[in-house]
Amino acid sequence: MNAPPAAAPADTLDAEIERNVDAALAEDVGNIDLTAQLVPAGVLTRATVVARENAVLCGTSWFERCFAKLDSAISIAWSAADGDRVVPDQVLCHLDGPARALLTGERTALNFLQLLSGVATKASQYANAVAGTRAIVIDTRKTLPGLRRAQKYAVKCGGCGNHRLGLYDAILIKENHILAAGSIAAAMAAAKQVSDTTNGRCKFIQVEVESLDELGQALKAGAKMILLDNMTLDQMRGAVALNAGRALLEASGNVNLDTVRSIAETGVDRISVGGLTKDARAIDLSMRFSG
């Protein structure tokens, strides 16, 4: 069996923020902000960011990095932090510095703050919906390209959990992998061999099942994490009973805020929701300049 490719670098979140901001500024600013040139160089101003709706704040480091890249003379004083709940008309921060740089960075910085606050806010809604049950809601790989680490950070700020970061840090055996391998048992055996070659980089092996019969096969093969794909509530309850605590059970498929509580009450351990990151709605925030 061929050895798997090297895992993606274990970069820090700070390095990821740097990459995100560099790419976003290059996309928006290029080599000059033509409109900002209407303001004389050297003019100083103050700006204030205000929330327009109830939300969970997230993305302050991305916001700060945008302005730090444009002009180190800009200072930002926050009155709220990542993970804080904010309300309409609440002042989130004050910015002071050169007007040109503040105008240039406004849209890019707000894009990060609004998007990541949107993810955190949705995550908090799901976390609240399953409160009091044993289940936690987790994200998936259905993230916006280039912003996976950022969105997964926002999910945590909202009170939910993370699944694997990518294809390089864990194994999820899905239907097509099982078909290619020949059986659940064969796929599990192959996965264990692959995991053994990663020097501990593979965090877990999970197998997806679609019926109680397949669940039994997975348990017999030694699976410790099992994904219940598109099962009914009755099937999930049956899976919990059959499992009897032997493996961590994750429910997936057609989960929304109207159904997540009922799914949690079946006794599963985790519920994965692609919509946490895939369908994020930006929170309404505004940046006012005071001259």
Side-chain angles (χ1 to χ4, degrees):
M1 181 178 296
N2 293 330
D11 290 334
T12 64
L13 184 60
D14 192 64
E16 185 74 1
I17 293 169
E18 187 86 0
R19 281 194 294 271
N20 292 160
V21 169
D22 282 347
L25 288 174
E27 177 180 68
D28 195 40
V29 182
N31 60 2
I32 189 171
D33 175 358
L34 294 173
T35 315
Q37 304 306 303
L38 304 179
V39 179
V43 172
L44 302 178
T45 191
R46 163 166 277 208
T48 304
V49 176
V50 178
R52 294 299 190 188
E53 60 180 305
N54 292 309
V56 174
L57 183 65
C58 185
T60 57
S61 293
W62 283 263
F63 184 92
E64 289 180 354
R65 190 67 57 89
C66 287
F67 290 109
K69 286 278 186 178
L70 293 168
D71 197 315
S72 60
I74 294 173
S75 64
I76 303 175
W78 290 95
S79 55
D82 284 0
D84 286 353
R85 295 184 180 277
V86 299
V87 298
D89 299 322
Q90 180 176 338
V91 173
L92 305 182
C93 70
H94 294 288
L95 304 92
D96 292 278
R100 280 188 178 182
L102 286 170
L103 289 165
T104 296
E106 174 186 3
R107 183 69 271 150
T108 298
L110 281 178
N111 281 347
F112 282 115
L113 201 63
Q114 290 178 289
L115 171 66
L116 297 183
S117 295
V119 174
T121 300
K122 178 173 280 193
S124 74
Q125 293 168 348
Y126 274 92
N128 291 338
V130 302
T133 70
R134 66 180 297 163
I136 63 167
V137 175
I138 61 171
D139 54 30
T140 71
R141 287 168 47 237
K142 295 177 181 177
T143 53
L144 300 181
L147 290 175
R148 179 165 298 173
R149 289 284 295 275
Q151 287 192 287
K152 283 180 173 283
Y153 169 80
V155 165
K156 294 279 282 187
C157 282
C160 290
N162 296 150
H163 199 266
R164 56 182 175 166
L165 273 175
L167 296 173
Y168 55 85
D169 65 341
I171 294 174
L172 173 52
I173 303 168
K174 298 177 73 68
E175 179 184 13
N176 287 335
H177 300 109
I178 295 168
L179 289 172
S183 68
I184 288 176
M188 280 293 300
K192 290 174 183 176
Q193 284 186 290
V194 171
S195 179
D196 288 344
T197 69
T198 66
N199 296 318
R201 294 194 306 270
C202 180
K203 296 177 182 177
F204 59 79
I205 298 171
Q206 184 177 29
V207 60
E208 176 185 277
V209 302
E210 298 179 347
S211 67
L212 296 186
D213 177 66
E214 289 184 351
L215 172 62
Q217 294 177 48
L219 290 169
K220 186 176 180 180
K224 298 303 180 185
M225 290 182 64
I226 300 173
L227 187 151
L228 310 176
D229 184 43
N230 283 300
M231 287 192 178
T232 65
L233 294 178
D234 282 343
Q235 286 177 312
M236 289 182 214
R237 284 188 281 267
V240 170
L242 177 61
N243 179 55
R246 287 177 285 177
L248 184 149
L249 295 184
E250 175 185 327
S252 179
N254 298 312
V255 183
N256 55 52
L257 283 169
D258 294 326
T259 63
V260 70
R261 179 77 188 189
S262 296
I263 294 171
E265 289 174 346
T266 66
V268 296
D269 301 288
R270 307 199 309 182
I271 304 169
S272 52
V273 182
L276 285 179
T277 51
K278 179 172 65 73
D279 303 324
R281 180 186 69 82
I283 294 299
D284 188 4
L285 308 173
S286 69
M287 186 167 164
R288 301 171 177 168
F289 286 74
S290 57

